[in-house]
Amino acid sequence: MNTQPIHLTEEDLVLLYYREPGLPGGAREHLRTCGTCSAAAESLAKTLNACDEWTVPEPPVDFSRGIWAGVAPRLEPRARRSWLLPARWLVPAFCALLLAAFLIGRVSKKPEPALAAGLSDQARQRIMAITLADHLDRAELLLTEISNATDTAPDFSSARYRAQDLVGEGRLILQTISAETGETATTSLLDEVERFMLEVANSPDRVTPEELQTLQRRMNSGSLLFKVRIIQSNFRTEGQKS
Amino acid sequence: MLNTQVAEIPAAQSEEFAIERVRRGDRDAFRVLVDQHARALFRLAYRMTGNEIDAEDMVQETFLKAWKQIAKFDGRASFGTWLHRICTNCTLDHLRTRQRRQETQPAVHAAKEDQSDPLSQIAGESPSPERLALSGQVSAILSATLADLTVMERTAFILRHYEGMGIESISNVLGVQPGAAKHSVFRAVQKLRQALEPVAGK
């Protein structure tokens, strides 16, 4: 019977060289007794040791001073807490205010409140169209960025925050529209956008290529970006027309 | 002013002290951190980019990002490790951009590649003629082989071989599964071995 010894693979030898875990059991003992493997390990070590010939030029003594000179003028001052809303919140806040006014108008029919009384049906529709178009515009921007992201560990922290904002804003809009019109193509789209944004908001700050591809596949399978673009464009036109 | 205060307390604590002040927007404290870490980051960036100008740019970018993101530093890893991660990611982005640009301009790429040869400026440590000859030969082959590696393979190899980072940490930095990081190191070693063995491995 042929009892040929099982030798260590090149990968095992690399793990051994770098003292990495994950070696098969008995690998070290085998290396001590097997001439073929110890010769291969020695040869690999020589090759990798040769890579140490690559030294880095020593930067000048005042190197860090030069770095500081380049960095210091570009350091942004730390943001101070302010009672004012940051600029990125202004549009959503304004939309929320309009929607709140709209809801008050819907709920309190008698006696007619001054604010709701001041809004004609046409004006309400216009506000709603603009609000929806703005919301879908922001969603489209984020979806496009995710769709175009490369498969190598993109930083998702900013996308997550934006998705969280969109989820909150979308829910408010969805409630308003559902109360007004019931189930429509727009409400199902908003629902779909919310589900996707929730997924993005719950992703880690740095997603793996696989996670990114899963998100992209999900987005593409339902043609979400396409639908958002179409409906956003319809509402934008409607808001401008009225 | 801050340097005087920092000099009065032990090194590890002085870094913590500086980080705490940077969180509050203290630029002098940030300068202390720049002084402490700039050279180590330069070595990493130089190995990844292969030239001093790009490496210096990457060190600057790293510190700018660190200033912006200091609130995210949670102290689980050392501050130096955290900076190394930022530097690796900045440099990876830079290399990918450079690669995309070069792919669209192959002729220009070939000409510039020779000028920015990471090893062309490097001399062997030993002055003996034999060592210099071997070192020069090894350097030339290393240069060509490293240039042929993918960005991922090259980065994984540099982090493993020159920065002494474990596979687990490399996978964190690259944002890939440990298996993928391990295979990038394997592939890099395999290609380097094939290229270098005739002069160094026998």
Side-chain angles (χ1 to χ4, degrees), chain A residues 10-11 18 20 40 43 46 48 51-55 57-60 64 68 72 74 76 78 153 157 209, chain B residues 22 25 27 35 39 47 61 64 67 70 119 122 125 131 146 160-162 166-167 174 186 193 197 200-201:
Chain A
E10 186 168 355
E11 296 183 355
Y18 287 124
E20 284 283 351
S43 166
K46 275 186 189 169
L48 289 174
C51 295
D52 296 335
E53 298 287 336
W54 183 21
T55 52
E58 199 53 34
S64 68
W68 179 249
R74 294 160 67 195
E76 290 164 10
R78 289 261 179 269
S157 47
Chain B
V22 171
R27 295 159 70 100
D35 284 343
R39 297 174 86 84
R47 286 201 160 105
E61 285 306 313
L64 285 170
W67 172 262
I70 192 79
L119 300 160
I122 298 161
E125 284 173 37
R131 176 72 185 274
L146 283 168
R160 179 52 274 191
H161 191 85
Y162 296 104
I167 296 291
L174 296 177
F186 287 156
R193 196 177 183 191
E197 219 164 46

Side-chain angles (χ1 to χ4, degrees), chain B residues 80-93:
Chain B
T81 305
W82 185 68
L83 285 176
H84 270 62
R85 280 183 193 157
I86 297 178
C87 184
T88 305
N89 285 315
C90 282
T91 315
L92 269 173
D93 289 344

Side-chain angles (χ1 to χ4, degrees), chain A:
Chain A
M1 200 166 97
N2 188 7
T3 53
Q4 218 173 7
I6 298 165
H7 294 298
L8 297 177
T9 64
E10 186 168 355
E11 296 183 355
D12 295 335
L13 296 175
V14 173
L15 292 179
L16 263 168
Y17 179 86
Y18 287 124
R19 295 167 201 274
E20 284 283 351
L23 278 169
R28 285 172 211 280
E29 290 70 28
H30 175 81
L31 190 68
R32 270 196 292 273
T33 54
C34 174
T36 312
C37 288
S38 59
E42 198 183 330
S43 166
L44 175 74
K46 275 186 189 169
T47 309
L48 289 174
N49 291 345
C51 295
D52 296 335
E53 298 287 336
W54 183 21
T55 52
V56 173
E58 199 53 34
V61 183
D62 59 351
F63 176 69
S64 68
R65 191 186 299 172
I67 292 295
W68 179 249
V71 168
R74 294 160 67 195
L75 294 181
E76 290 164 10
R78 289 261 179 269
R80 294 201 176 123
R81 279 168 192 271
S82 163
W83 62 271
L84 288 170
L85 280 173
R88 71 189 183 93
W89 284 98
L90 285 178
V91 174
F94 183 64
C95 293
L97 196 67
L98 286 175
L99 279 164
F102 176 79
L103 279 173
I104 291 167
R106 293 282 309 160
V107 172
S108 330
K109 280 279 180 198
K110 287 176 186 176
E112 193 90 2
L115 186 54
L119 288 174
S120 65
D121 277 353
Q122 199 185 13
R124 264 192 223 155
Q125 273 173 13
R126 188 173 173 216
I127 290 166
M128 189 53 72
I130 291 170
T131 308
L132 258 165
D134 282 348
H135 173 72
L136 292 175
D137 197 28
R138 276 192 295 280
E140 184 193 338
L141 198 66
L142 184 53
L143 290 171
T144 308
E145 280 173 28
I146 293 171
S147 167
N148 293 338
T150 56
D151 60 349
T152 41
D155 185 354
F156 238 53
S157 47
S158 145
R160 287 184 53 221
Y161 290 127
R162 284 160 63 198
Q164 276 164 10
D165 288 351
L166 285 165
V167 168
E169 189 181 285
R171 277 182 186 157
L172 189 60
I173 296 173
L174 192 59
Q175 275 171 8
T176 314
I177 298 180
S178 302
E180 173 88 351
T181 58
E183 178 76 23
T184 62
T186 308
T187 55
S188 18
L189 175 70
L190 285 172
D191 206 32
E192 205 179 330
V193 169
E194 183 189 322
R195 281 199 304 275
F196 186 80
M197 290 304 164
L198 266 175
E199 211 165 310
V200 175
N202 292 325
S203 299
D205 273 350
R206 201 164 273 281
V207 294
T208 63
E210 291 76 26
E211 286 166 335
L212 177 64
Q213 279 165 13
T214 309
L215 279 174
Q216 287 170 334
R217 265 199 303 273
R218 254 210 64 189
M219 193 196 306
N220 294 334
S221 70
S223 311
L224 185 59
L225 182 54
F226 178 71
K227 286 191 267 186
V228 167
R229 274 187 188 143
I230 297 291
I231 298 212
Q232 187 270 124
S233 157
N234 289 348
F235 278 112
R236 178 73 63 210
T237 317
E238 197 180 314
Q240 283 165 353
K241 246 194 311 196
S242 14

